Structure formats: structure tokens, C-alpha cells
């Protein structure tokens, strides 16, 4: 199997994107997959907090030449490997594409060692988000049932489509009231996108509004580990099971684990 790269993106902050990235990564690990979670949200990096890990090095150390790739791969629960973003570093917020490309090329050396690379991108449609989203096989957009989330997710998909040529997007609805309302919200959102853009959206799954998830975040113990038999953990397992069937983007841009090796 080729290494599959998945970006977790959202139009706005506060929709639970990082929690989804962490729990999806752990759900894949529980299936015996080898997974690296890469936090590219260099300004507000917080995946390490949700994982309860304290990385000695971050992507920042690597990009400054202070650490090798092996040094920045932190051990996390369930044999997950994790690359911390390094928060609040202004020079990292203004990375140019050349520096991002260097990071992307370096991670290519992991291709034979891992099954999945999960990339937690900054909320919104910044250059950094568009770069990392277009570099992955599967862009997974996290949405909540609020007008602002719809508007901002639409803006993100439009930018990725127009600037980067992406046509396939997977969508998961977070903090949903029920499975059926999640499906309805996806359908509504999909219709808006299809009306104005030549893109295809695929429903990846949902996770409900949940006190158990809120408590797991406060405790720094992801729900897939702290409450593995909970309905919420099962929904992350369902999402992990769906990943192999989600459509990939085919485009000429720069990607992780470039497929054109010869």
C-alpha cells in the first residue's frame, strides 16, 4: 500500500478540527496502521496538548536546522508518531513555500515506514493551509452546523479549487445534533458548493455534540483512548474505516510522497 496523506482542514477555528485529527490518527493506529500526525498549525499548535505529550523538538527546530527529522518524531499513545508545530513563533507563521516544500520533501523519507500521514492544518484559507491541503491525497474538511462555519468552509474549498485545482473534498460534520441532522447539513452544504463550484464532496461521517469529548479535551486524554468503548470513539473508528474509500485528488501540483517517481 502507498502511504496515504490526509489533511484535516476547517474554514474557521473552534469547530473541533484538531480533536478530530488526533482521534482519527489514534483510531487508525488501533487498526494496526503506522501513522504520523503532523501539526502544521504553527501559530496555534495545540495537538500536543490534546495528546498529553510534551515534545522536546518541533517542526520549528527542524526548519531552523536544530534537529533532524528523527528527533522531531515524538512518541504518542497507541504507537502514534507525532510532529509538533511549535506555537506562537512568528517566523513560522510567515513561512514561504520553499520552506514548506523542504518540510514536505523531508517527510517523503518516511514513505516506506508509514501507512498514513495526517496533517492538521491551520483554520481558514491561509497560504499555509492551501499549500498543505493541496499536498495531500484526501482533504477532509470539518464542518459544524452554523452559518459562519458553512461560509468559511465554502471559502476554503473555493480557494483550494481555484488556486490549487482540487476537485475532491471529503467532509465530516462535527458537534452534530444527530446522525440524520449531520447528513442533512452535509447535503445542504454540498448543494451550495455544487451550485457555484465544479467540485465533488463526499460525506465522511459525523461526531455528535458531546460532554464526554469536552471532558476528554480537558483531561488531555483523547476519547479513543480514555473511553474506547464510547459511542464517540466508535464514530472515529467508523471514520477510520471509511478512509480507504474516500476519493483522492489527482493534480499536477506538489504533493507529499510524490507519485511520479520515475
Amino acid at each position: 500500500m502507498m502511504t496515504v496523506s490526509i489533511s484535516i482542514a476547517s474554514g474557521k477555528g473552534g469547530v473541533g478540527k484538531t480533536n478530530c485529527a488526533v482521534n482519527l490518527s489514534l483510531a487508525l493506529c488501533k487498526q494496526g496502521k503506522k501513522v504520523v500526525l503532523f501539526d502544521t498549525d504553527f501559530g496555534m499548535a495545540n495537538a500536543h496538548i490534546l495528546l498529553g505529550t510534551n515534545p522536546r523538538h518541533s517542526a520549528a527546530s527542524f526548519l531552523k536546522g536544530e534537529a533532524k527529522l528523527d528527533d522531531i518524531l515524538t512518541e504518542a499513545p497507541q504507537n502514534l508518531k507525532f510532529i509538533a508545530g511549535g506555537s506562537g513563533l512568528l517566523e513560522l507563521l510567515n513561512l514561504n513555500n520553499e520552506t514548506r516544500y523542504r518540510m514536505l520533501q523531508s517527510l517523503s523519507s518516511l514513505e516506506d515506514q508509514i501507512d498514513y500521514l495526517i496533517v492538521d492544518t491551520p483554520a481558514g484559507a491561509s497560504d499555509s493551509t492551501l499549500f498543505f491541503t493541496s499536498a495531500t491525497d484526501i482533504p477532509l474538511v470539518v464542518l459544524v452546523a452554523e452559518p459562519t462555519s458553512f461560509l468559511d468552509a465554502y471559502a476554503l474549498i473555493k480557494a483550494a479549487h481555484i488556486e490549487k485545482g482540487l476537485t475532491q473534498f471529503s467532509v465530516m460534520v462535527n458537534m452534530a445534533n444527530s446522525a440524520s441532522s449531520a447528513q442533512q447539513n452535509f447535503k445542504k452544504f454540498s448543494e451550495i458548493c455544487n451550485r457555484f463550484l465544479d467540485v465533488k464532496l463526499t460525506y465522511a461521517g459525523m461526531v455528535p455534540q458531546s460532554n464526554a469529548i469536552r471532558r476528554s479535551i480537558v483531561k488531555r486524554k483523547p476519547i479513543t483512548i480514555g473511553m474506547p468503548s464510547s459511542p464517540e470513539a466508535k464514530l472515529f473508528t467508523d471514520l477510520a474505516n471509511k478512509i480507504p474509500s474516500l476519493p483522492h485528488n489527482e493534480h499536477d501540483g506538489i504533493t507529499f510522497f510524490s507519485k511520479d517517481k520515475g
Side-chain angles (χ1 to χ4, degrees), residues 11 19 23 29 33-34 36 38 61 67 72 87 98 131 134 174 179 185 190-191 200 204 208 214 226 241 249 255 258:
N19 184 59
N23 279 292
C29 286
K33 305 295 184 200
K34 295 187 178 73
V36 169
F38 177 24
S61 335
I72 65 171
S87 52
E98 194 182 317
F131 178 89
S134 66
N174 197 26
N185 280 302
S190 190
E191 281 166 2
K200 184 170 189 305
R214 271 203 290 274
N241 290 336
N249 274 296
T255 58
S258 282

Side-chain angles (χ1 to χ4, degrees), residues 72-90:
I72 65 171
L73 283 166
T74 302
E75 296 289 336
Q78 300 288 334
N79 294 319
L80 174 66
K81 295 274 200 301
F82 169 63
I83 300 174
S87 52
L89 297 162
L90 277 176

Side-chain angles (χ1 to χ4, degrees), residues 34 51 90 112 159 178 190 224 227 229:
K34 295 187 178 73
L51 279 165
L90 277 176
D112 298 329
S178 66
S190 190
T224 40
M227 297 176 69
S229 52

Side-chain angles (χ1 to χ4, degrees), residues 129-189:
T129 298
L130 293 176
F131 178 89
F132 285 116
T133 300
S134 66
T136 56
D137 300 310
I138 301 170
L140 179 61
V141 178
V142 180
L143 193 67
V144 298
E146 290 170 11
T148 51
S149 175
F150 271 40
L151 276 169
D152 293 340
Y154 173 80
L156 166 66
I157 288 171
K158 180 181 178 181
H161 175 57
I162 290 170
E163 293 178 35
K164 302 292 185 181
L166 302 194
T167 54
Q168 297 281 1
F169 297 86
S170 295
V171 175
M172 71 167 289
V173 180
N174 197 26
M175 306 180 192
N177 290 329
S178 66
S180 60
S181 75
Q183 291 264 18
Q184 282 166 351
N185 280 302
F186 167 74
K187 192 165 174 281
K188 248 187 265 178
F189 181 66

Side-chain angles (χ1 to χ4, degrees), residues 195-226:
R195 193 177 314 154
F196 300 108
L197 305 170
D198 187 17
V199 295
K200 184 170 189 305
L201 270 51
T202 302
Y203 182 64
M206 60 75 73
V207 175
Q209 183 73 266
S210 159
N211 287 326
I213 287 181
R214 271 203 290 274
R215 284 194 298 273
S216 77
I217 291 167
V218 172
K219 284 185 188 161
R220 296 175 59 158
K221 192 153 202 183
I223 195 131
T224 40
I225 293 174

Side-chain angles (χ1 to χ4, degrees), residues 94-107:
N94 304 315
L95 285 185
N96 57 26
N97 272 353
E98 194 182 317
T99 314
R100 292 184 196 117
Y101 183 54
R102 191 153 53 87
M103 189 84 219
L104 191 136
Q105 275 187 311
S106 305
L107 288 173

Side-chain angles (χ1 to χ4, degrees), residues 238-258:
D238 292 346
L239 179 61
N241 290 336
K242 190 110 189 245
I243 294 295
S245 66
L246 295 177
H248 290 205
N249 274 296
E250 302 291 335
H251 63 90
D252 301 331
I254 295 162
T255 58
F256 285 102
F257 318 117
S258 282

